[in-house]
């Protein structure tokens, strides 16, 4: 297993290009199951999660290949409607093959994904939506079995205790493309990744309105064709790089950004004292002055993303004063707190809040990544810490950041991989 070693204290400087969005490409790859025609997806990051989804597509009978940022999906010789536990349990996003399999093949057997380190993460909203479309559902031996000779459009409310669900909205929207009549999803997720999926489905011939808003309307069709699509830039990678610039008091031009997707992150970082200039598809990020503490609450889009909570916490850990960070999407997503404290941070967890008392400096230490975004927060902390930090279990980081180490190296960071 590899670990990342970082020698902190370098101000990052230069230009960096953001990769395509992990959370957009995963459901879009699942959507290719809705057609027998070839699909070409461009701007695809080479990530562990993307490769897992490609394996799932192959296990379901597709030919799928990632080559230089393009995934080509073509029909294989056989079709299979069973998504196996071994693959689904490694990545929760694979549960969103349920909707397209059911829509296209009228039946699906998909392993329940189980919990993960950031929380219990149930799938009740996915199942509620699929059931509302008239599918017969049963759970057997850890698998969801769904059948429907003909899905029927329906009016449903898909909000849960923590608000809307990104992948439940994606799953139901994909199944509804083949339902008879109109489906209305209320409390749909408004995330840009859901909108990107809708754009792809529309290219395939789906009739979808209202995406990007809490009410999505899908008019069922009989046939979907192949399509060519380019994935939106990864807003969380962009936010992580913005944080890297600020935490090192650096000066970075971040390219391939849709800053419209980053409203809450830009607002909070400006409040903390960042100087952010927007030009075309770039963001120029540097500190305006001494940074100030801020209070941040994570919320569904367009609120501050939970996937940026750990990174902003690292930034606040070295910002003088008290910041309060409240997690409203995954109340237990705080595994990074203990690791940051091992580096000298003063962070106290109180239920869904983390109270961060900024310290003058962090000190490098061996730390352990627990999940994708926690890993990113530890790398950020390592960039500013005195001495050497080693982040183990970096396979988490590789699930969602394409070449982060190389990108940071090119900005001047002293960061390299070593065998554990
Ligand atoms: N929830 C339910 N029932 C459900 C589904 C979700 O109660 O059936 C709850 C969740 O437990 C959570 C909240 O609703 O408390 C929101 O979860 P959501 O379903 O929106 O999460 P997701 O769709 O499973 C995607 C991203 C996550 C990101 C969340 C929230 C992908 C592949 N994953 O997950 O990304 O945190 O939306 O924005 O799109 C990451 O990239 O690090 C990551 C975890």
């Amino acid at each position: 297993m590899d670990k990342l070693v970082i020698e902190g204290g370098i101000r990052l400087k230069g230009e960096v290009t953001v990769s395509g969005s992990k959370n957009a490409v995963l459901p879009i790859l699942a959507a290719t199951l809705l057609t027998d025609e070839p699909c070409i997806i461009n701007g695809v990051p080479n990530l562990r999660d993307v490769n897992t989804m490609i394996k799932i597509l192959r296990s379901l009978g597709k030919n799928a290949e990632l080559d230089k940022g393009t995934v080509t999906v073509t029909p294989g010789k056989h079709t299979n409607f069973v998504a196996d536990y071994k693959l689904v349990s490694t990545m929760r996003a694979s549960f969103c093959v349920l909707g397209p399999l059911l829509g296209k093949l009228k039946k699906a057997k998909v392993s329940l994904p189980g919990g993960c380190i950031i929380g219990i993460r149930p799938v009740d909203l996915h199942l509620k939506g699929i059931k509302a479309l008239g599918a017969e559902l049963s759970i057997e031996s850890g698998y969801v079995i769904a059948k429907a000779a003909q899905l029927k459009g329906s009016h449903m409310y898909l909000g849960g205790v923590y608000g809307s669900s990104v992948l439940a909205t994606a799953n139901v929207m994909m199944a509804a493309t083949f339902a008879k009549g109109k489906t209305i999803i209320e409390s749909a997720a408004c995330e840009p990744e859901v909108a990107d999926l809708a754009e792809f489905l529309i290219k395939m011939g789906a009739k979808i309105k209202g995406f990007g808003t809490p009410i999505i309307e899908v008019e069922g069709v009989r046939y979907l064709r192949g399509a060519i699509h380019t994935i939106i830039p990864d807003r969380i990678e962009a936010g992580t790089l913005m944080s890297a610039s600020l935490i090192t008091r650096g000066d970075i031009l971040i390219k391939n950004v849709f800053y419209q997707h980053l409203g809450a992150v830009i607002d909070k970082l400006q409040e903390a004292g960042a100087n952010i200039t927007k030009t075309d598809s770039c963001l120029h990020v540097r500190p305006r002055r001494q940074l100030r503490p801020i209070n941040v609450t994570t919320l569904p889009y367009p609120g501050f993303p939970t996937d940026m909570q750990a990174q902003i916490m690292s930034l606040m850990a070295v910002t003088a004063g008290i910041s309060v960070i409240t997690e409203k999407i995954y109340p237990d997503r705080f595994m990074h707190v203990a690791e940051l404290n091992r580096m000298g941070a003063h962070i106290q967890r109180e239920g869904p809040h983390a109270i961060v008392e900024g310290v003058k400096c962090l000190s490098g230490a061996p730390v352990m990544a627990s999940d994708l975004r926690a890993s990113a927060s530890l790398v950020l902390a390592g960039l500013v810490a005195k001495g050497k930090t080693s982040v183990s279990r970096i396979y988490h980081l590789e699930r969602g950041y394409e070449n982060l180490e190389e990108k940071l190296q090119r900005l001047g960071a002293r960061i390299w991989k070593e065998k554990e």
Side-chain angles (χ1 to χ4, degrees), residues 22-78:
K22 166 184 84 85
N23 290 346
V25 74
L26 295 174
I28 284 177
L29 287 175
T32 63
L33 292 163
L34 287 162
T35 180
D36 293 326
E37 296 183 14
C39 293
I40 295 174
I41 320 294
N42 296 313
V44 178
N46 188 357
L47 300 171
R48 189 179 285 259
D49 278 6
V50 168
N51 286 301
T52 304
M53 186 55 96
I54 286 175
K55 280 187 201 153
I56 291 173
L57 292 182
R58 288 185 191 144
S59 78
L60 295 170
K62 292 283 190 193
N63 298 318
E65 211 66 62
L66 170 61
D67 184 32
K68 297 192 195 80
T70 296
V71 176
T72 309
V73 185
T74 53
K77 286 199 180 100
H78 310 281

Short mmCIF file of all heavy atoms in Angstrom, two decimals, residues 22-78:
data_model
loop_
_atom_site.label_atom_id
_atom_site.label_comp_id
_atom_site.label_asym_id
_atom_site.label_seq_id
_atom_site.Cartn_x
_atom_site.Cartn_y
_atom_site.Cartn_z
N LYS A 22 -16.15 13.46 -10.66
CA LYS A 22 -16.38 12.06 -10.28
C LYS A 22 -17.88 11.82 -10.07
O LYS A 22 -18.43 10.84 -10.59
CB LYS A 22 -15.65 11.75 -8.97
CG LYS A 22 -16.10 10.46 -8.31
CD LYS A 22 -15.44 10.21 -6.98
CE LYS A 22 -16.07 10.87 -5.80
NZ LYS A 22 -17.18 10.17 -5.15
N ASN A 23 -18.52 12.70 -9.32
CA ASN A 23 -19.92 12.43 -8.97
C ASN A 23 -20.89 12.66 -10.13
O ASN A 23 -22.05 12.26 -10.07
CB ASN A 23 -20.32 13.23 -7.73
CG ASN A 23 -19.63 12.69 -6.49
OD1 ASN A 23 -19.07 11.59 -6.51
ND2 ASN A 23 -19.63 13.46 -5.41
N ALA A 24 -20.40 13.32 -11.19
CA ALA A 24 -21.24 13.43 -12.39
C ALA A 24 -21.05 12.20 -13.27
O ALA A 24 -22.00 11.65 -13.82
CB ALA A 24 -20.90 14.70 -13.16
N VAL A 25 -19.79 11.75 -13.40
CA VAL A 25 -19.54 10.69 -14.37
C VAL A 25 -20.12 9.34 -13.91
O VAL A 25 -20.57 8.54 -14.75
CB VAL A 25 -18.03 10.57 -14.69
CG1 VAL A 25 -17.22 9.95 -13.59
CG2 VAL A 25 -17.82 9.76 -15.97
N LEU A 26 -20.18 9.11 -12.60
CA LEU A 26 -20.63 7.77 -12.15
C LEU A 26 -22.08 7.47 -12.56
O LEU A 26 -22.33 6.45 -13.21
CB LEU A 26 -20.39 7.61 -10.64
CG LEU A 26 -18.91 7.63 -10.23
CD1 LEU A 26 -18.76 7.62 -8.72
CD2 LEU A 26 -18.13 6.48 -10.85
N PRO A 27 -23.05 8.34 -12.24
CA PRO A 27 -24.42 8.04 -12.72
C PRO A 27 -24.55 8.11 -14.23
O PRO A 27 -25.37 7.39 -14.82
CB PRO A 27 -25.30 9.10 -12.03
CG PRO A 27 -24.38 10.08 -11.42
CD PRO A 27 -23.02 9.48 -11.31
N ILE A 28 -23.73 8.94 -14.88
CA ILE A 28 -23.82 9.02 -16.35
C ILE A 28 -23.36 7.70 -16.96
O ILE A 28 -23.97 7.20 -17.93
CB ILE A 28 -23.02 10.24 -16.88
CG1 ILE A 28 -23.84 11.51 -16.59
CG2 ILE A 28 -22.70 10.12 -18.37
CD1 ILE A 28 -23.19 12.81 -16.97
N LEU A 29 -22.33 7.10 -16.39
CA LEU A 29 -21.92 5.78 -16.90
C LEU A 29 -23.04 4.76 -16.67
O LEU A 29 -23.33 3.94 -17.54
CB LEU A 29 -20.63 5.32 -16.21
CG LEU A 29 -19.35 6.04 -16.65
CD1 LEU A 29 -18.16 5.59 -15.83
CD2 LEU A 29 -19.09 5.81 -18.15
N ALA A 30 -23.69 4.85 -15.51
CA ALA A 30 -24.82 3.93 -15.25
C ALA A 30 -25.92 4.13 -16.29
O ALA A 30 -26.57 3.17 -16.73
CB ALA A 30 -25.35 4.15 -13.83
N ALA A 31 -26.12 5.38 -16.70
CA ALA A 31 -27.20 5.69 -17.65
C ALA A 31 -26.97 5.05 -19.02
O ALA A 31 -27.92 4.87 -19.79
CB ALA A 31 -27.33 7.21 -17.81
N THR A 32 -25.73 4.68 -19.32
CA THR A 32 -25.48 4.05 -20.63
C THR A 32 -26.18 2.69 -20.72
O THR A 32 -26.34 2.14 -21.80
CB THR A 32 -23.97 3.86 -20.91
OG1 THR A 32 -23.42 2.97 -19.94
CG2 THR A 32 -23.21 5.18 -20.86
N LEU A 33 -26.60 2.16 -19.55
CA LEU A 33 -27.34 0.89 -19.55
C LEU A 33 -28.74 1.05 -20.16
O LEU A 33 -29.41 0.06 -20.44
CB LEU A 33 -27.49 0.37 -18.10
CG LEU A 33 -26.19 -0.09 -17.42
CD1 LEU A 33 -26.37 -0.19 -15.92
CD2 LEU A 33 -25.74 -1.44 -18.01
N LEU A 34 -29.16 2.31 -20.34
CA LEU A 34 -30.51 2.55 -20.87
C LEU A 34 -30.59 2.40 -22.39
O LEU A 34 -31.67 2.50 -22.96
CB LEU A 34 -30.97 3.97 -20.48
CG LEU A 34 -31.33 4.17 -19.01
CD1 LEU A 34 -31.33 5.66 -18.66
CD2 LEU A 34 -32.70 3.56 -18.69
N THR A 35 -29.45 2.21 -23.04
CA THR A 35 -29.48 2.12 -24.51
C THR A 35 -28.66 0.94 -25.02
O THR A 35 -27.72 0.50 -24.34
CB THR A 35 -28.96 3.43 -25.15
OG1 THR A 35 -28.99 3.30 -26.58
CG2 THR A 35 -27.54 3.77 -24.72
N ASP A 36 -29.01 0.47 -26.20
CA ASP A 36 -28.21 -0.58 -26.86
C ASP A 36 -27.22 0.03 -27.84
O ASP A 36 -26.49 -0.68 -28.51
CB ASP A 36 -29.13 -1.54 -27.62
CG ASP A 36 -30.00 -2.33 -26.67
OD1 ASP A 36 -29.51 -2.64 -25.57
OD2 ASP A 36 -31.17 -2.58 -27.00
N GLU A 37 -27.25 1.36 -27.94
CA GLU A 37 -26.34 2.02 -28.89
C GLU A 37 -25.07 2.49 -28.18
O GLU A 37 -25.05 2.65 -26.96
CB GLU A 37 -27.06 3.22 -29.52
CG GLU A 37 -28.26 2.79 -30.35
CD GLU A 37 -28.93 3.98 -31.03
OE1 GLU A 37 -28.33 5.08 -31.07
OE2 GLU A 37 -30.06 3.81 -31.49
N PRO A 38 -24.00 2.75 -28.93
CA PRO A 38 -22.75 3.21 -28.31
C PRO A 38 -22.89 4.59 -27.66
O PRO A 38 -23.61 5.45 -28.17
CB PRO A 38 -21.77 3.27 -29.48
CG PRO A 38 -22.38 2.50 -30.58
CD PRO A 38 -23.86 2.56 -30.39
N CYS A 39 -22.17 4.78 -26.58
CA CYS A 39 -22.10 6.09 -25.92
C CYS A 39 -20.64 6.47 -25.76
O CYS A 39 -19.80 5.61 -25.49
CB CYS A 39 -22.73 6.04 -24.53
SG CYS A 39 -24.50 5.76 -24.55
N ILE A 40 -20.37 7.76 -25.92
CA ILE A 40 -18.99 8.23 -25.75
C ILE A 40 -19.01 9.35 -24.70
O ILE A 40 -19.71 10.35 -24.87
CB ILE A 40 -18.42 8.75 -27.08
CG1 ILE A 40 -18.32 7.56 -28.05
CG2 ILE A 40 -17.05 9.40 -26.89
CD1 ILE A 40 -17.92 7.92 -29.45
N ILE A 41 -18.25 9.14 -23.64
CA ILE A 41 -18.23 10.12 -22.55
C ILE A 41 -16.82 10.70 -22.48
O ILE A 41 -15.85 9.96 -22.26
CB ILE A 41 -18.58 9.48 -21.19
CG1 ILE A 41 -19.72 8.45 -21.31
CG2 ILE A 41 -18.91 10.54 -20.16
CD1 ILE A 41 -21.04 9.00 -21.68
N ASN A 42 -16.72 12.01 -22.64
CA ASN A 42 -15.42 12.69 -22.63
C ASN A 42 -15.19 13.40 -21.29
O ASN A 42 -16.14 13.65 -20.54
CB ASN A 42 -15.36 13.73 -23.76
CG ASN A 42 -15.44 13.06 -25.12
OD1 ASN A 42 -14.75 12.06 -25.38
ND2 ASN A 42 -16.31 13.58 -25.98
N GLY A 43 -13.93 13.76 -21.06
CA GLY A 43 -13.59 14.50 -19.83
C GLY A 43 -13.69 13.63 -18.60
O GLY A 43 -14.01 14.11 -17.51
N VAL A 44 -13.42 12.34 -18.77
CA VAL A 44 -13.60 11.40 -17.64
C VAL A 44 -12.28 11.27 -16.87
O VAL A 44 -11.24 10.97 -17.46
CB VAL A 44 -14.02 10.00 -18.17
CG1 VAL A 44 -14.15 9.02 -17.02
CG2 VAL A 44 -15.33 10.12 -18.95
N PRO A 45 -12.33 11.51 -15.56
CA PRO A 45 -11.10 11.37 -14.78
C PRO A 45 -10.74 9.90 -14.57
O PRO A 45 -11.64 9.06 -14.44
CB PRO A 45 -11.46 12.03 -13.44
CG PRO A 45 -12.95 11.88 -13.34
CD PRO A 45 -13.48 11.92 -14.75
N ASN A 46 -9.44 9.63 -14.56
CA ASN A 46 -9.00 8.25 -14.32
C ASN A 46 -8.90 8.02 -12.81
O ASN A 46 -7.91 8.35 -12.18
CB ASN A 46 -7.63 8.05 -15.00
CG ASN A 46 -7.21 6.59 -14.96
OD1 ASN A 46 -7.92 5.74 -14.38
ND2 ASN A 46 -6.07 6.28 -15.52
N LEU A 47 -10.00 7.50 -12.25
CA LEU A 47 -10.11 7.35 -10.81
C LEU A 47 -10.50 5.92 -10.48
O LEU A 47 -11.13 5.24 -11.29
CB LEU A 47 -11.24 8.24 -10.27
CG LEU A 47 -11.11 9.74 -10.49
CD1 LEU A 47 -12.40 10.43 -10.10
CD2 LEU A 47 -9.95 10.28 -9.65
N ARG A 48 -10.19 5.53 -9.26
CA ARG A 48 -10.56 4.18 -8.81
C ARG A 48 -12.08 3.95 -8.94
O ARG A 48 -12.53 2.92 -9.42
CB ARG A 48 -10.14 4.03 -7.36
CG ARG A 48 -10.27 2.64 -6.81
CD ARG A 48 -9.81 2.66 -5.38
NE ARG A 48 -8.37 2.75 -5.31
CZ ARG A 48 -7.57 1.70 -5.07
NH1 ARG A 48 -8.10 0.52 -4.85
NH2 ARG A 48 -6.27 1.83 -5.03
N ASP A 49 -12.91 4.96 -8.53
CA ASP A 49 -14.37 4.80 -8.60
C ASP A 49 -14.86 4.67 -10.03
O ASP A 49 -15.80 3.93 -10.32
CB ASP A 49 -15.07 5.98 -7.91
CG ASP A 49 -15.14 5.80 -6.40
OD1 ASP A 49 -14.53 4.83 -5.89
OD2 ASP A 49 -15.79 6.62 -5.72
N VAL A 50 -14.23 5.40 -10.94
CA VAL A 50 -14.64 5.32 -12.35
C VAL A 50 -14.32 3.92 -12.88
O VAL A 50 -15.13 3.29 -13.57
CB VAL A 50 -13.93 6.41 -13.18
CG1 VAL A 50 -14.10 6.17 -14.67
CG2 VAL A 50 -14.44 7.79 -12.80
N ASN A 51 -13.16 3.42 -12.50
CA ASN A 51 -12.78 2.07 -12.95
C ASN A 51 -13.69 1.01 -12.35
O ASN A 51 -13.99 0.00 -13.00
CB ASN A 51 -11.29 1.83 -12.67
CG ASN A 51 -10.44 2.62 -13.65
OD1 ASN A 51 -10.54 2.44 -14.87
ND2 ASN A 51 -9.65 3.57 -13.16
N THR A 52 -14.15 1.25 -11.12
CA THR A 52 -15.11 0.30 -10.53
C THR A 52 -16.42 0.32 -11.32
O THR A 52 -16.99 -0.74 -11.63
CB THR A 52 -15.40 0.68 -9.05
OG1 THR A 52 -14.16 0.71 -8.35
CG2 THR A 52 -16.34 -0.31 -8.38
N MET A 53 -16.87 1.52 -11.70
CA MET A 53 -18.14 1.59 -12.46
C MET A 53 -17.97 0.92 -13.82
O MET A 53 -18.89 0.26 -14.32
CB MET A 53 -18.59 3.06 -12.60
CG MET A 53 -19.96 3.21 -13.24
SD MET A 53 -21.30 2.27 -12.40
CE MET A 53 -22.00 3.51 -11.33
N ILE A 54 -16.80 1.06 -14.42
CA ILE A 54 -16.55 0.40 -15.71
C ILE A 54 -16.63 -1.13 -15.53
O ILE A 54 -17.23 -1.83 -16.34
CB ILE A 54 -15.19 0.86 -16.27
CG1 ILE A 54 -15.33 2.30 -16.78
CG2 ILE A 54 -14.68 -0.06 -17.38
CD1 ILE A 54 -14.06 2.95 -17.26
N LYS A 55 -16.06 -1.61 -14.42
CA LYS A 55 -16.14 -3.07 -14.15
C LYS A 55 -17.60 -3.50 -13.97
O LYS A 55 -18.00 -4.57 -14.43
CB LYS A 55 -15.37 -3.40 -12.86
CG LYS A 55 -13.89 -3.49 -13.06
CD LYS A 55 -13.22 -4.01 -11.78
CE LYS A 55 -11.76 -3.62 -11.80
NZ LYS A 55 -11.17 -3.47 -10.48
N ILE A 56 -18.38 -2.66 -13.32
CA ILE A 56 -19.79 -3.01 -13.12
C ILE A 56 -20.52 -3.06 -14.47
O ILE A 56 -21.29 -3.99 -14.74
CB ILE A 56 -20.46 -2.02 -12.14
CG1 ILE A 56 -19.88 -2.26 -10.75
CG2 ILE A 56 -21.98 -2.17 -12.12
CD1 ILE A 56 -20.29 -1.27 -9.71
N LEU A 57 -20.24 -2.08 -15.32
CA LEU A 57 -20.89 -2.08 -16.65
C LEU A 57 -20.52 -3.36 -17.40
O LEU A 57 -21.37 -4.00 -18.03
CB LEU A 57 -20.47 -0.86 -17.46
CG LEU A 57 -20.97 0.50 -16.98
CD1 LEU A 57 -20.51 1.60 -17.94
CD2 LEU A 57 -22.50 0.53 -16.87
N ARG A 58 -19.24 -3.74 -17.29
CA ARG A 58 -18.82 -4.98 -17.98
C ARG A 58 -19.54 -6.18 -17.38
O ARG A 58 -19.98 -7.06 -18.11
CB ARG A 58 -17.30 -5.17 -17.85
CG ARG A 58 -16.53 -4.18 -18.70
CD ARG A 58 -15.04 -4.52 -18.60
NE ARG A 58 -14.24 -3.47 -19.19
CZ ARG A 58 -13.07 -3.07 -18.73
NH1 ARG A 58 -12.53 -3.65 -17.67
NH2 ARG A 58 -12.41 -2.11 -19.32
N SER A 59 -19.67 -6.19 -16.07
CA SER A 59 -20.34 -7.34 -15.43
C SER A 59 -21.80 -7.41 -15.85
O SER A 59 -22.43 -8.46 -15.79
CB SER A 59 -20.22 -7.25 -13.90
OG SER A 59 -21.14 -6.31 -13.40
N LEU A 60 -22.34 -6.26 -16.29
CA LEU A 60 -23.74 -6.23 -16.71
C LEU A 60 -23.87 -6.42 -18.24
O LEU A 60 -24.95 -6.26 -18.80
CB LEU A 60 -24.39 -4.90 -16.28
CG LEU A 60 -24.48 -4.74 -14.74
CD1 LEU A 60 -24.88 -3.31 -14.38
CD2 LEU A 60 -25.47 -5.73 -14.14
N GLY A 61 -22.74 -6.72 -18.87
CA GLY A 61 -22.81 -7.11 -20.28
C GLY A 61 -22.36 -6.06 -21.27
O GLY A 61 -22.44 -6.28 -22.48
N LYS A 62 -21.88 -4.91 -20.80
CA LYS A 62 -21.41 -3.88 -21.74
C LYS A 62 -19.92 -4.06 -22.02
O LYS A 62 -19.19 -4.59 -21.18
CB LYS A 62 -21.59 -2.49 -21.12
CG LYS A 62 -23.03 -2.06 -20.96
CD LYS A 62 -23.61 -1.63 -22.26
CE LYS A 62 -24.97 -0.97 -22.12
NZ LYS A 62 -25.65 -0.83 -23.40
N ASN A 63 -19.48 -3.57 -23.17
CA ASN A 63 -18.05 -3.35 -23.37
C ASN A 63 -17.79 -1.91 -22.95
O ASN A 63 -18.49 -1.01 -23.44
CB ASN A 63 -17.67 -3.50 -24.84
CG ASN A 63 -17.97 -4.90 -25.33
OD1 ASN A 63 -17.69 -5.87 -24.63
ND2 ASN A 63 -18.55 -5.01 -26.52
N ALA A 64 -16.85 -1.70 -22.06
CA ALA A 64 -16.57 -0.33 -21.61
C ALA A 64 -15.07 -0.18 -21.41
O ALA A 64 -14.43 -1.06 -20.84
CB ALA A 64 -17.32 -0.04 -20.32
N GLU A 65 -14.55 0.94 -21.88
CA GLU A 65 -13.11 1.17 -21.87
C GLU A 65 -12.84 2.63 -21.58
O GLU A 65 -13.50 3.50 -22.16
CB GLU A 65 -12.59 0.84 -23.30
CG GLU A 65 -11.20 0.29 -23.39
CD GLU A 65 -11.07 -1.09 -22.75
OE1 GLU A 65 -11.75 -2.04 -23.23
OE2 GLU A 65 -10.31 -1.19 -21.79
N LEU A 66 -11.87 2.89 -20.72
CA LEU A 66 -11.43 4.28 -20.49
C LEU A 66 -10.08 4.47 -21.17
O LEU A 66 -9.13 3.73 -20.89
CB LEU A 66 -11.29 4.56 -18.98
CG LEU A 66 -10.60 5.87 -18.58
CD1 LEU A 66 -11.35 7.09 -19.09
CD2 LEU A 66 -10.46 5.97 -17.06
N ASP A 67 -10.02 5.43 -22.09
CA ASP A 67 -8.76 5.68 -22.78
C ASP A 67 -8.57 7.19 -22.92
O ASP A 67 -9.40 7.86 -23.54
CB ASP A 67 -8.78 4.99 -24.15
CG ASP A 67 -7.45 5.15 -24.87
OD1 ASP A 67 -6.41 5.20 -24.19
OD2 ASP A 67 -7.47 5.24 -26.12
N LYS A 68 -7.54 7.70 -22.32
CA LYS A 68 -7.18 9.13 -22.39
C LYS A 68 -8.40 10.03 -22.15
O LYS A 68 -8.71 10.93 -22.94
CB LYS A 68 -6.57 9.46 -23.74
CG LYS A 68 -5.27 8.73 -24.01
CD LYS A 68 -4.56 9.32 -25.23
CE LYS A 68 -3.48 8.43 -25.75
NZ LYS A 68 -3.96 7.32 -26.59
N GLY A 69 -9.09 9.79 -21.06
CA GLY A 69 -10.19 10.67 -20.68
C GLY A 69 -11.50 10.42 -21.40
O GLY A 69 -12.47 11.16 -21.21
N THR A 70 -11.56 9.38 -22.22
CA THR A 70 -12.83 9.08 -22.91
C THR A 70 -13.27 7.66 -22.58
O THR A 70 -12.48 6.72 -22.72
CB THR A 70 -12.67 9.23 -24.44
OG1 THR A 70 -12.38 10.60 -24.71
CG2 THR A 70 -13.93 8.83 -25.19
N VAL A 71 -14.50 7.53 -22.15
CA VAL A 71 -15.05 6.19 -21.95
C VAL A 71 -15.98 5.89 -23.11
O VAL A 71 -16.88 6.68 -23.44
CB VAL A 71 -15.83 6.06 -20.62
CG1 VAL A 71 -16.48 4.68 -20.51
CG2 VAL A 71 -14.92 6.28 -19.43
N THR A 72 -15.75 4.76 -23.75
CA THR A 72 -16.63 4.31 -24.82
C THR A 72 -17.38 3.09 -24.30
O THR A 72 -16.76 2.15 -23.80
CB THR A 72 -15.80 3.93 -26.07
OG1 THR A 72 -14.94 5.03 -26.35
CG2 THR A 72 -16.68 3.64 -27.26
N VAL A 73 -18.70 3.15 -24.39
CA VAL A 73 -19.52 2.03 -23.94
C VAL A 73 -20.30 1.49 -25.13
O VAL A 73 -21.00 2.26 -25.81
CB VAL A 73 -20.51 2.47 -22.82
CG1 VAL A 73 -21.27 1.26 -22.26
CG2 VAL A 73 -19.79 3.20 -21.70
N THR A 74 -20.14 0.21 -25.40
CA THR A 74 -20.88 -0.41 -26.51
C THR A 74 -21.55 -1.68 -25.99
O THR A 74 -21.13 -2.22 -24.96
CB THR A 74 -19.94 -0.77 -27.68
OG1 THR A 74 -18.88 -1.56 -27.15
CG2 THR A 74 -19.37 0.44 -28.36
N PRO A 75 -22.59 -2.15 -26.68
CA PRO A 75 -23.25 -3.36 -26.19
C PRO A 75 -22.35 -4.58 -26.32
O PRO A 75 -21.59 -4.70 -27.29
CB PRO A 75 -24.49 -3.50 -27.08
CG PRO A 75 -24.31 -2.56 -28.19
CD PRO A 75 -23.24 -1.58 -27.86
N GLY A 76 -22.40 -5.48 -25.35
CA GLY A 76 -21.65 -6.73 -25.42
C GLY A 76 -22.54 -7.83 -25.98
O GLY A 76 -23.61 -7.56 -26.52
N LYS A 77 -22.07 -9.06 -25.81
CA LYS A 77 -22.82 -10.18 -26.41
C LYS A 77 -24.03 -10.56 -25.56
O LYS A 77 -25.04 -11.02 -26.05
CB LYS A 77 -21.88 -11.39 -26.55
CG LYS A 77 -20.89 -11.20 -27.70
CD LYS A 77 -20.29 -12.52 -28.14
CE LYS A 77 -19.31 -12.32 -29.26
NZ LYS A 77 -17.92 -12.33 -28.83
N HIS A 78 -23.90 -10.40 -24.22
CA HIS A 78 -24.98 -10.83 -23.32
C HIS A 78 -25.41 -9.65 -22.48
O HIS A 78 -24.63 -8.73 -22.25
CB HIS A 78 -24.49 -11.92 -22.37
CG HIS A 78 -23.79 -13.03 -23.09
ND1 HIS A 78 -24.46 -14.01 -23.76
CD2 HIS A 78 -22.47 -13.29 -23.25
CE1 HIS A 78 -23.58 -14.83 -24.31
NE2 HIS A 78 -22.36 -14.42 -24.01
#
